[in-house]
Amino acid sequence: FVAAICAGPTVLADLGITDGKNATCYPGCESGMGSAKMVNAAAVRDGKLITGTSAGCAIPFGLKLIEVLKGTEIAEKIKKQIVIR
């Protein structure tokens, strides 16, 4: 897996990792995302690529990482424990 949040996905774009993939990044950095298919979401997974929008989206991004690595059930359990609504 490769993951980046905020402006970090633009580095992945420079390396060609986001080409043709669904992704998100910090608002205003879209021009640095190459041929990525931009999605307006806090966190986006496309295969082994996981991107997040901003520091304000760190919790959804973290939960997406947990979902991918440990499964939806564990991610939902943690979401309840940290009281995300």
Side-chain angles (χ1 to χ4, degrees):
F1 291 96
V2 176
I5 190 170
C6 203
T10 62
V11 174
L12 302 181
D14 286 344
L15 297 170
I17 294 170
T18 63
D19 288 350
K21 301 274 190 181
N22 293 313
T24 191
C25 66
Y26 187 80
C29 291
E30 295 88 355
S31 64
M33 289 298 292
S35 67
K37 299 175 202 165
M38 299 309 297
V39 178
N40 183 18
V44 176
R45 177 187 181 188
D46 190 333
K48 297 218 175 226
L49 173 67
I50 304 162
T51 53
T53 300
S54 65
C57 297
I59 291 175
F61 180 72
L63 289 169
K64 180 63 73 178
L65 293 173
I66 293 166
E67 176 186 325
V68 168
L69 297 172
K70 293 292 186 177
T72 303
E73 185 177 320
I74 299 294
E76 286 297 320
K77 179 179 177 184
I78 292 171
K79 184 178 176 180
K80 284 182 182 178
Q81 290 173 341
I82 62 174
V83 193
I84 295 297
R85 298 174 196 238

